[in-house]
Amino acid sequence: MALDTADKSPRKGVWKSGKGKGRRHTKGRQLQDDAWGEVRALLGDAPRRADLLIEHLHKIQDAYGHLSAAHLRALAEEMRMSMAEVYEVATFYAHFDVVKEGETPPPALTIRVCDSLSCELAGAQQLKAALEEGLDPAEVRVLRAPCMGRCDTAPVLELGHAHIDHATPQKVQAAIAAGDTHAHIPDYQDYAAYVAEGGYAALKELRANGDWDVVQDKVLASGLRGLGGAGFPSGKKWGFVRANAGPRYLAVNGDEGEPGTFKDRYYLERVPHLFLEGMLIAAWAVEAETAFIYMRDEYPAVLEILRREIAALEQAGIVEPGYIDLRRGAGAYICGEESAMIESIEGKRGMPRHRPPFVAQVGVFGRPTLVHNVETLHWVARVCREGPEVLSGTEKNGRKGLRSYSVSGRVAQPGVYLLPAGSTIMDIIEAAGGMAEAHVFKAYQPGGPSSGLLPASINDVPLDFDTLQPLGSFIGSAAVVVLSEQDSAKAAALNMLRFFEDESCGQCTPCRVGCEKAVKLMQADRWDQGLLEELSTAMVDASICGLGQAAPNPIRLTMKHFPDEI
């Protein structure tokens, strides 16, 4: 054995055992042949590119109901990635169940009970407790989950991949007995029906003779702004992206995760080709080499509809096979932020990027990328087919255009309502059939939890872009949740902050720690308003992205408008 001449002690070799023999295996988890064979069979002839990591994780999760350590090790081997890279992605997303060695895999059946504001108002907590008491935990796992985009039928849960609207324990028991755990596909306008009424004629004409500048001007004349929440003039994005050398990409943000929002699902489950034609027009305008659709995993019916209709477009020769790349999210609200979505498309954790550079310059795979919301592209198609007047021709309260309001909570008829952009909360409640029986209007959330709560006394302000900012709020994705005198503003604000606490990506301390601290402070009988305001200021000033910057809105507006409750 070699001796160190300085201290005469044996020198320990990294690859040597005490007997001087070479180590049988490298350090770390060992590759198991059977697990490797199972992963290779699942992946088939699919490419092993790193950006497809999340898609491949879904295949294993779908097939086995969880991600075992052996399968993760095999996937890392197959994709020529480190185990750390695979593990950090798998553990980031809520819909992947990572099971380490020696741990018990989850039951074959999982129930996810939505506990966002609309569902909580409808009794989600009591429903979850009843299910936990009435079901065998060894056979069925019951979890709380964020908004599933079905707020109009609250309370809602997902049994496997089947959603149960207006859920009750009895409905769940019947569905389990019937084995009803797969997504229900609604009736929708398919490719043939859409073409029969003139669909894709505008796209074909533009491809043959169109000038993208003219189309951009038409979109700008309509007044169309980003309907995912940011409100940036839609046509202006095209010029920004085209100003950068190709190759360029288009990425559709279908991660409609803001609690209370379900307008994108509403349109995709009825007229998916209006969106698809609008997407292809935008892709044509910026000469995109690929159009990525990032769709949230909570919408299994929409994912199946898009798979079918993209195949129909390929068969009809509208697009080349593979031109539209449909990507499936995995349960992460933060991926609704455009740069986090792009990270996820690249197969990574959905961590927002620091800006600049902006995604119009450095987006998917480092290339210029046009990002649009689903409903925005729905309107691009309508503007190109019907002219800018389809939006600009409507005016109310000095505001031009139309808005799709997702309305839920204490109204008689929750749903999506297409109304003039100048509509007030009273107009919206009236469109939804008025207040629910025995409920008196108290407060409302104008644009998701990020917009906070406003009192019923503020009832004459149009719910549109730029009109709510003076009130410390904003319209966002137009997710309107109505509260009544039977509801607590304090409890509603706590529900919103618990959502942000769960969904913070954890990248920046102000958001990660701030949301957690806020929840603890808000659980007290009396709020420490000075400390909460100090915390809110730090979060707004120092958070990287909109999640942490907007999370204090429910705190501040509740302190301002409902001081008697806190």
Side-chain angles (χ1 to χ4, degrees):
M1 183 176 292
L3 296 178
D4 190 310
T5 55
D7 60 10
K8 306 301 182 185
S9 60
R11 187 187 306 144
K12 295 179 180 179
V14 174
W15 298 104
K16 296 291 185 181
S17 68
K19 297 179 180 179
K21 297 179 181 178
R23 191 190 299 275
R24 292 185 180 181
H25 301 290
T26 57
K27 289 183 177 180
R29 286 187 174 89
Q30 302 308 305
L31 180 63
Q32 298 178 16
D33 288 341
D34 55 347
W36 194 13
E38 289 164 350
V39 167
R40 295 176 77 175
L42 281 175
L43 269 53
D45 59 359
R48 270 56 168 173
R49 302 194 314 266
D51 63 288
L52 294 174
L53 174 58
I54 294 170
E55 297 296 310
H56 295 338
L57 287 168
H58 272 305
K59 292 174 183 176
I60 301 172
Q61 175 78 35
D62 290 345
Y64 293 97
H66 64 279
L67 301 173
S68 70
H71 281 140
L72 290 177
R73 175 67 182 86
L75 182 62
E77 182 74 19
E78 189 65 14
M79 297 188 70
R80 298 294 188 267
M81 299 175 72
S82 72
M83 184 67 185
E85 290 176 291
V86 173
Y87 183 80
E88 72 175 9
V89 171
T91 53
F92 181 85
Y93 296 93
H95 290 187
F96 294 139
D97 295 303
V98 176
V99 178
K100 299 177 183 177
E101 294 95 336
E103 292 183 343
T104 303
L109 196 55
T110 294
I111 294 176
R112 287 184 165 87
V113 182
C114 176
D115 69 351
S116 291
L117 185 55
S118 298
C119 283
E120 186 164 290
L121 295 176
Q125 298 299 342
Q126 297 89 323
L127 172 64
K128 181 173 179 285
L131 291 171
E132 289 172 333
E133 184 178 332
L135 296 171
D136 182 354
E139 295 182 1
V140 183
R141 177 177 57 159
V142 181
L143 303 174
R144 58 183 285 262
C147 186
M148 298 176 185
R150 308 182 77 86
C151 318
D152 51 334
T153 56
V156 170
L157 59 79
E158 189 178 27
L159 176 67
H161 288 297
H163 286 100
I164 298 180
D165 299 321
H166 303 297
T168 63
Q170 294 75 24
K171 285 185 177 181
V172 172
Q173 293 282 9
I176 292 174
D180 186 6
T181 61
H182 298 288
H184 298 172
I185 311 300
D187 291 331
Y188 66 91
Q189 185 184 48
D190 64 9
Y191 173 76
Y194 183 69
V195 170
E197 64 167 35
Y200 292 105
L203 173 67
K204 291 177 180 177
E205 174 61 25
L206 289 173
R207 284 176 170 177
N209 306 303
D211 182 335
W212 78 272
D213 271 320
V214 174
V215 182
Q216 178 177 247
D217 290 342
K218 185 182 291 188
V219 172
L220 288 169
S222 74
L224 179 63
R225 294 171 65 171
L227 296 172
F232 190 82
S234 300
K236 283 188 178 180
K237 285 187 176 183
W238 299 3
F240 291 159
V241 174
R242 283 191 65 111
N244 297 283
R248 309 182 190 97
Y249 295 108
L250 180 145
V252 178
N253 193 338
D255 199 68
E256 184 179 47
E258 189 78 7
T261 314
F262 47 98
K263 60 184 179 62
D264 291 353
R265 177 187 63 80
Y266 176 87
Y267 288 120
L268 288 170
E269 289 185 348
R270 288 161 177 79
V271 285
H273 283 281
L274 267 174
F275 151 68
L276 287 169
E277 183 171 14
M279 178 190 75
L280 293 174
I281 289 171
W284 161 82
V286 298
E287 298 177 344
E289 290 204 355
T290 303
F292 294 94
I293 302 176
Y294 187 87
M295 185 55 56
R296 67 188 309 224
D297 198 31
E298 289 86 348
Y299 288 175
V302 169
L303 282 160
E304 179 56 29
I305 289 170
L306 290 175
R307 289 186 195 104
R308 294 178 183 181
E309 299 312 308
I310 290 169
L313 289 175
E314 292 175 349
Q315 188 173 0
I318 301 292
V319 295
E320 292 293 324
Y323 179 78
I324 302 175
D325 193 339
L326 178 62
R327 297 298 181 91
R328 176 181 168 190
Y333 164 75
I334 192 63
C335 291
E337 196 277 337
E338 62 179 9
S339 65
M341 174 194 68
I342 287 173
E343 289 287 296
S344 194
I345 288 173
E346 293 179 356
K348 306 171 189 173
R349 294 174 296 167
M351 296 280 198
R353 297 175 178 176
H354 292 268
R355 288 171 289 186
F358 296 94
V359 299
Q361 302 164 297
V362 181
V364 179
F365 307 136
R367 304 307 309 166
T369 302
L370 175 66
V371 176
H372 274 314
N373 166 260
V374 168
E375 193 200 353
T376 304
L377 293 169
H378 170 100
W379 285 108
V380 166
R382 289 198 59 180
V383 166
C384 289
R385 290 179 64 174
E386 304 169 47
E389 299 79 16
V390 69
L391 286 174
S392 62
T394 299
E395 185 172 351
K396 182 173 183 173
N397 291 330
R399 311 296 299 180
K400 288 187 176 183
L402 296 166
R403 291 303 301 258
S404 301
Y405 296 98
S406 305
V407 188
S408 61
R410 306 300 192 183
V411 292
Q413 299 164 13
V416 173
Y417 292 92
L418 184 62
L419 301 172
S423 299
T424 65
I425 185 61
M426 302 311 294
D427 297 324
I428 292 166
I429 291 174
E430 181 183 358
M435 293 296 293
E437 188 176 352
H439 287 274
V440 177
F441 181 35
K442 172 183 177 177
Y444 62 105
Q445 170 189 286
S450 303
S451 67
L453 276 178
L454 294 176
S457 59
I458 300 179
N459 58 13
D460 59 351
V461 178
L463 268 62
D464 194 16
F465 294 119
D466 311 321
T467 58
L468 297 173
Q469 277 84 341
L471 302 174
S473 183
F474 53 85
I475 186 61
S477 57
V480 180
V481 180
V482 178
L483 278 64
S484 78
E485 293 290 351
Q486 298 182 26
D487 304 315
S488 162
K490 178 184 178 183
L494 179 58
N495 176 282
M496 297 176 193
L497 263 294
R498 280 185 171 140
F499 169 77
F500 291 130
E501 179 189 25
D502 286 344
E503 296 298 330
S504 171
C505 75
Q507 179 179 186
C508 68
T509 304
C511 177
R512 181 185 68 249
V513 177
C515 288
E516 181 184 358
K517 182 66 174 176
V519 167
K520 289 178 180 175
L521 291 171
M522 294 167 74
Q523 288 173 321
D525 291 336
R526 305 300 298 178
W527 286 8
D528 184 335
Q529 297 189 48
L531 187 55
L532 277 167
E533 176 56 35
E534 194 175 331
L535 179 65
S536 297
T537 299
M539 293 175 66
V540 171
D541 289 347
S543 294
I544 289 173
C545 81
L547 191 156
Q549 294 162 11
N553 285 341
I555 302 171
R556 286 175 158 170
L557 290 173
T558 301
M559 291 194 297
K560 180 178 180 179
H561 298 296
F562 306 97
D564 55 318
E565 293 193 29
I566 58 171

